Amino acid sequence: MSVTEDKDAARQRTGTSGGAPPPRGLVERTAAWSMAHRKSTILLWVLAVVLAYGASMVTGVKDQEDADNLTGQAAVAERMMDDADFADEGVERVLIQAREGKLSAATAQSVVSSLRTRYADVSDVTKVGAPVTSEDGRSVLLPVTLDLGSGDDKKKPKSVVGPMLKATEAEQKAHTDLRVEQLGKGSLTKDLSTRLGSDFQRAEFISLPLTLVILIVAFGALLAAGLPVLLGITAVIFAMGLAGVTSLIVPVNENQASLILLMGLAVGVDYSLFYIRRRREERALGKSPEAALRIAAATSGRAVLVSGLTVAIAMAGMFLSGSMLFSSLALGTVLVVLVAVLGSLTVLPAALAGLGDKIDRPRIPLLWRRTNVGKESRLWAAVLRPVLKAPAASLVIGLVAMLALAAPALDMKLKLPGDEDLPRSIPIMKTYDRVVEAFPSEGTAHEVAVEHDKSRSQEVAEALTALHDKAMASGRFAKSKKPDLELSRDGTVSRLELHVSGDADGKQAKETLKLLRGDLAPGALTGDAVDKWAVGGATAFSTDFSQTLEDRLPMVIGFVMLICLGIMLLAFRSVALALLTGALNVLSVAAAYGVLVLVFQHEWAENVLGFDSNGAVVSWLPLILFVVLYGLSMDYHVFVLSRIREGVRRGSSAHEAIRHGILTSAGVVTTAAVIMVAVFAVFATLSTLEMKQLGVGLAVAILLDATLIRGVLLPAALKLLGSKAWREPRALRDVPAVSHD
């Protein structure tokens, strides 16, 4: 299965441990050293994992700020406001609402008075404002300010909101006939981080046992099944530790841990699976344990290196996105892939050398008999028979099916999810809906941030007031009698909030943002008092982010495809194979895009997956899916093409080489695909729309890649190409192979 198998490697296939030639190439020499020093290798691996994770605990993990996730004018506005110190940043709003009918003034006054008493005992509460009654008289909103400190000692709202939440909950228990609920940046982020964190833990809890069960079925032996899971887990821990340390340079995004877990389990288990399966195959052919392991290193080990480098480079394409969000995700995935490759080339052969044939124990009787590596897959043999008999027709049918799945992607709409897209199964989101319904001015808002000299703050306030009046006169914004204007404590940044009806990504919000940026703000903020201005807010965040991705996506795609095609060209020395691989990978990604549009832009799958459609795909998902899927698809292609090329180099006909290569790789590729699809499907059950879409997109693409592409399109195309598929360009004959020194 080697992607750069030479004559020495071929001789190893027929030799024994005593007659095998010295190892060649970095991969084989590394594996040979690890096998010879197995205890030291395993100890060094464990030590490295512990040190990496321990180092992250020492340095601490630096999280991304809100502005780090943004681009364009929205990022400018957010940074201006983050750097400033606004007194209302720690404001929590307490909703007092009658469950039915109107709220009497006496009841409202009594509850407000009781809350003031409770909050007086909360040290972080600095001010309890005047209550505001809704127009329908059913609700009262009480603003409460928390002390967040200032400067270097400034705290995040979620870190100080706990005692106030307990006081609010106590008041709710005393008035079961009313709703007494709290909403603010602190309470919202605290509740969401707790619930989404438990989501992530649930994914871990389900993914690991599920992966182990699938491997037990595939191998029929506990040790053989447990070793890949152990490597995957340690690779994830190792990479998370490294990501924590590197967060001092590239701050961590909240989704990074989920992606590291997904990728770490996927590639870590895959690479172990390739290695162990090949060793077992060679043992079944009569090789000694040492010879079988050396052959696995010379073949599967090299395939792992090429595959891992390709996946890592594909992930690195996200650095070109122009967003810190993607830089964080790129760094996390690159780290976990490289760590998984390192573990597969060192600690895995060391562990296999130490276990010897014990790796196939304890055996599960019924399952063990089903895992005979000498058997060909009847299912894939049946699929291949008509494909190789009529390759042209099979290729056309396969392409039509994939293009039909990809077609809906032409109607893809992008949106950066906001508060309105969070699952309503979370209680605080129901509170959010009730507050916005009763007090529309608490909903979607455009934020106009202005930077100025402290001495010109009054002039800026007048300009922003004039801007507010023009906005009200347009009739396009939510009505407000006076401007929602705030000045930072140092007097250098002013902020005006202009509210709109409907969702942040709705038609009215987008139209008013365009009006504000294109006409109203430039006309009102032209005086000498204004140093810099920008319009932010949820609508601006989503609009600017989506625009940046549209601008940068072609660059990312071009980089990933060119670099990956270059690696494939050097690995297989074939222009035809490199281009074919690139085309098939793009096809699987396009099909995944199409399925995402079908499932998430429409409402038919809402009850199945437990979500409310917002009529769009998450803005950052197309780029993430492209780089991840393009990289993961290389796993299968490198593995399968390597096995096919072994047959070609032995002198087999194209028909026999394709058949032998696909059928001998069918077991391991199918198992790897089942594991990936199962793990990714678990993430489709999580609460947030982002994780659901990511899980579905990855699962669908891997399923298509391992079935329709690997079983139909790839063999059909190779059969039609014949010997041309393996023709080596003259320019590459003197170029060293990528897996050699």
Side-chain angles (χ1 to χ4, degrees), residues 333-522:
T333 50
V334 168
L335 287 173
V336 78
V337 169
L338 293 180
V339 166
V341 170
L342 178 63
S344 301
L345 301 183
T346 56
V347 72
L348 181 60
L352 290 173
L355 289 170
D357 287 336
K358 292 179 183 178
I359 187 66
D360 292 326
R361 303 189 186 278
R363 296 175 179 176
I364 313 298
L366 294 177
L367 295 176
W368 174 257
R369 286 196 292 270
R370 292 171 54 87
T371 61
N372 189 334
V373 294
K375 290 182 179 179
E376 289 187 348
S377 169
R378 293 181 181 179
L379 172 63
W380 287 111
V383 171
L384 273 180
R385 197 173 297 116
V387 171
L388 295 179
K389 187 176 181 180
S394 300
L395 185 64
V396 171
I397 293 172
L399 284 174
V400 169
M402 293 294 286
L403 291 174
L405 287 173
L410 297 174
D411 189 40
M412 181 183 288
K413 295 179 176 61
L414 299 178
K415 178 187 176 184
L416 194 63
D419 291 339
E420 68 275 8
D421 297 312
L422 288 167
R424 263 43 192 176
S425 58
I426 301 176
I428 200 167
M429 296 315 303
K430 295 178 181 178
T431 301
Y432 172 88
D433 290 338
R434 285 191 278 266
V435 169
V436 172
E437 182 181 4
F439 302 91
S441 62
E442 297 296 324
T444 300
H446 302 306
E447 297 178 326
V448 184
V450 180
E451 195 171 84
H452 51 80
D453 187 83
K454 183 177 181 179
S455 62
R456 312 295 288 271
S457 58
Q458 183 58 38
E459 295 176 58
V460 172
E462 292 172 359
L464 288 174
T465 300
L467 174 59
H468 167 267
D469 294 342
K470 287 183 179 179
M472 293 302 103
S474 71
R476 309 285 293 278
F477 296 81
K479 293 181 180 180
S480 62
K481 296 179 181 178
K482 61 178 183 178
D484 187 353
L485 187 60
E486 185 75 17
L487 178 66
S488 64
R489 284 174 175 159
D490 64 1
T492 61
V493 178
S494 295
R495 183 191 65 203
L496 171 68
E497 290 191 358
L498 293 169
H499 295 265
V500 293
S501 301
D503 293 341
D505 208 53
K507 182 179 179 182
Q508 185 171 354
K510 290 181 177 179
E511 288 179 349
T512 51
L513 175 66
K514 186 176 181 180
L515 174 65
L516 190 56
R517 283 180 168 178
D519 183 21
L520 299 182

Side-chain angles (χ1 to χ4, degrees), residues 262-264 266-268 270-271 274 303-319 329-330 332-338 340-341 559-560 563-564 567-568 585 624 626-638 676 702:
L262 276 171
M263 293 297 296
V267 299
D270 266 14
Y271 297 160
F274 295 165
V304 164
L305 178 62
V306 173
S307 175
L309 288 176
T310 309
V311 174
I313 288 173
M315 300 300 106
M318 287 189 282
F319 284 117
L329 299 182
T333 50
V334 168
L335 287 173
V336 78
V337 169
L338 293 180
V341 170
F559 170 81
V560 172
I563 298 298
C564 291
I567 290 179
M568 289 296 294
N585 287 351
I624 287 285
F626 178 82
V627 296
V628 172
L629 293 176
Y630 200 96
L632 290 180
S633 294
M634 301 300 289
D635 275 351
Y636 300 141
H637 287 283
V638 168
M676 281 196 187
I702 294 298

Side-chain angles (χ1 to χ4, degrees), residues 484-678:
D484 187 353
L485 187 60
E486 185 75 17
L487 178 66
S488 64
R489 284 174 175 159
D490 64 1
T492 61
V493 178
S494 295
R495 183 191 65 203
L496 171 68
E497 290 191 358
L498 293 169
H499 295 265
V500 293
S501 301
D503 293 341
D505 208 53
K507 182 179 179 182
Q508 185 171 354
K510 290 181 177 179
E511 288 179 349
T512 51
L513 175 66
K514 186 176 181 180
L515 174 65
L516 190 56
R517 283 180 168 178
D519 183 21
L520 299 182
L525 303 174
T526 56
D528 295 335
V530 176
D531 293 336
K532 181 169 64 175
W533 67 268
V535 179
T539 306
F541 299 166
S542 180
T543 301
D544 292 351
F545 192 84
S546 298
Q547 186 60 53
T548 298
L549 289 190
E550 288 181 17
D551 295 340
R552 293 294 188 108
L553 190 57
M555 184 191 304
V556 174
I557 291 175
F559 170 81
V560 172
M561 290 188 66
L562 285 175
I563 298 298
C564 291
L565 288 176
I567 290 179
M568 289 296 294
L569 187 60
L570 292 176
F572 288 96
R573 308 304 182 92
S574 167
V575 174
L577 283 182
L579 293 176
L580 177 62
T581 299
L584 293 179
N585 287 351
V586 169
L587 196 58
S588 68
V589 174
Y593 286 173
V595 172
L596 276 179
V597 171
L598 286 174
V599 173
F600 291 100
Q601 282 190 198
H602 305 286
E603 299 178 358
W604 65 269
E606 287 182 330
N607 293 332
V608 178
L609 294 176
F611 71 96
D612 293 319
S613 174
N614 64 359
V617 172
V618 176
S619 297
W620 51 263
L621 205 60
L623 190 148
I624 287 285
L625 280 180
F626 178 82
V627 296
V628 172
L629 293 176
Y630 200 96
L632 290 180
S633 294
M634 301 300 289
D635 275 351
Y636 300 141
H637 287 283
V638 168
F639 189 77
V640 174
L641 289 175
S642 298
R643 296 307 298 258
I644 295 173
R645 193 172 74 166
E646 287 184 17
V648 172
R649 290 194 166 184
R650 285 196 300 267
S652 302
S653 65
H655 182 283
E656 183 56 32
I658 295 169
R659 184 181 183 280
H660 176 77
I662 289 182
L663 294 184
T664 54
S665 63
V668 65
V669 171
T670 300
T671 302
V674 169
I675 291 171
M676 281 196 187
V677 171

Side-chain angles (χ1 to χ4, degrees), residues 270-289:
D270 266 14
Y271 297 160
S272 304
L273 196 60
F274 295 165
Y275 222 110
I276 296 173
R277 188 79 180 203
R278 186 55 184 259
R279 178 203 172 276
R280 179 183 281 189
E281 183 180 326
E282 297 301 330
R283 285 290 288 138
L285 293 174
K287 306 296 188 301
S288 68

Side-chain angles (χ1 to χ4, degrees), residues 116-181:
R116 288 183 186 276
T117 302
R118 292 183 188 277
Y119 294 148
D121 296 329
V122 179
S123 59
D124 290 317
V125 171
T126 60
K127 178 183 176 183
V128 179
V132 179
T133 304
S134 63
E135 289 187 6
D136 61 4
R138 187 183 168 207
S139 309
V140 166
L141 203 62
L142 181 67
V144 180
T145 304
L146 294 170
D147 181 16
L148 302 181
S150 60
D152 295 336
D153 296 327
K154 189 174 181 180
K155 304 171 186 175
K156 292 189 175 182
K158 70 176 182 180
S159 66
V160 300
V161 76
M164 182 187 167
L165 280 170
K166 290 181 180 179
T168 306
E169 290 167 3
E171 187 67 20
Q172 172 66 88
K173 290 177 182 178
H175 296 276
T176 55
D177 58 326
L178 303 175
R179 289 192 180 96
V180 183
E181 301 170 331

Side-chain angles (χ1 to χ4, degrees), residues 1-260:
M1 179 189 52
S2 167
V3 295
T4 54
E5 186 174 0
D6 52 23
K7 294 180 180 179
D8 286 341
R11 283 197 294 270
Q12 287 185 37
R13 297 168 54 81
T14 58
T16 62
S17 59
R24 288 190 59 199
L26 177 63
V27 172
E28 294 170 74
R29 291 203 305 273
T30 301
W33 189 93
S34 300
M35 288 184 279
H37 305 84
R38 61 195 70 162
K39 290 184 179 179
S40 299
T41 302
I42 295 172
L43 182 61
L44 286 171
W45 176 260
V46 173
L47 185 61
V49 173
V50 172
L51 286 176
Y53 199 77
S56 69
M57 297 180 69
V58 172
T59 62
V61 178
K62 183 180 179 182
D63 295 325
Q64 287 187 348
E65 301 293 337
D66 290 341
D68 292 332
N69 296 329
L70 307 175
T71 59
Q73 193 177 139
V76 175
E78 188 66 26
R79 287 192 180 92
M80 288 167 61
M81 291 184 286
D82 281 349
D83 293 339
D85 187 8
F86 287 100
D88 68 346
E89 188 175 354
V91 171
E92 293 284 311
R93 291 170 172 80
V94 181
L95 176 70
I96 306 165
Q97 187 179 74
R99 293 186 184 273
E100 294 182 2
K102 289 189 176 182
L103 179 69
S104 69
T107 300
Q109 185 177 357
S110 173
V111 174
V112 168
S113 177
S114 178
L115 284 171
R116 288 183 186 276
T117 302
R118 292 183 188 277
Y119 294 148
D121 296 329
V122 179
S123 59
D124 290 317
V125 171
T126 60
K127 178 183 176 183
V128 179
V132 179
T133 304
S134 63
E135 289 187 6
D136 61 4
R138 187 183 168 207
S139 309
V140 166
L141 203 62
L142 181 67
V144 180
T145 304
L146 294 170
D147 181 16
L148 302 181
S150 60
D152 295 336
D153 296 327
K154 189 174 181 180
K155 304 171 186 175
K156 292 189 175 182
K158 70 176 182 180
S159 66
V160 300
V161 76
M164 182 187 167
L165 280 170
K166 290 181 180 179
T168 306
E169 290 167 3
E171 187 67 20
Q172 172 66 88
K173 290 177 182 178
H175 296 276
T176 55
D177 58 326
L178 303 175
R179 289 192 180 96
V180 183
E181 301 170 331
Q182 185 173 328
L183 181 70
K185 187 174 182 180
S187 53
L188 186 63
T189 54
K190 182 179 177 63
D191 192 65
L192 289 178
S193 61
T194 299
R195 293 179 183 278
L196 299 182
S198 65
D199 250 13
F200 181 67
Q201 291 176 351
R202 179 165 62 88
E204 287 181 300
F205 181 77
I206 297 174
S207 299
L208 294 176
L210 185 61
T211 300
L212 184 59
V213 168
I214 296 171
L215 287 170
I216 289 173
V217 173
F219 282 117
L222 292 181
L223 279 177
L227 190 57
V229 175
L230 187 59
L231 179 64
I233 293 172
T234 55
V236 168
I237 296 172
F238 197 158
M240 284 189 174
L242 294 176
V245 175
T246 56
S247 70
L248 300 178
I249 302 172
V250 180
V252 168
N253 177 266
E254 59 186 0
N255 293 310
Q256 189 195 66
S258 298
L259 202 56
I260 287 178

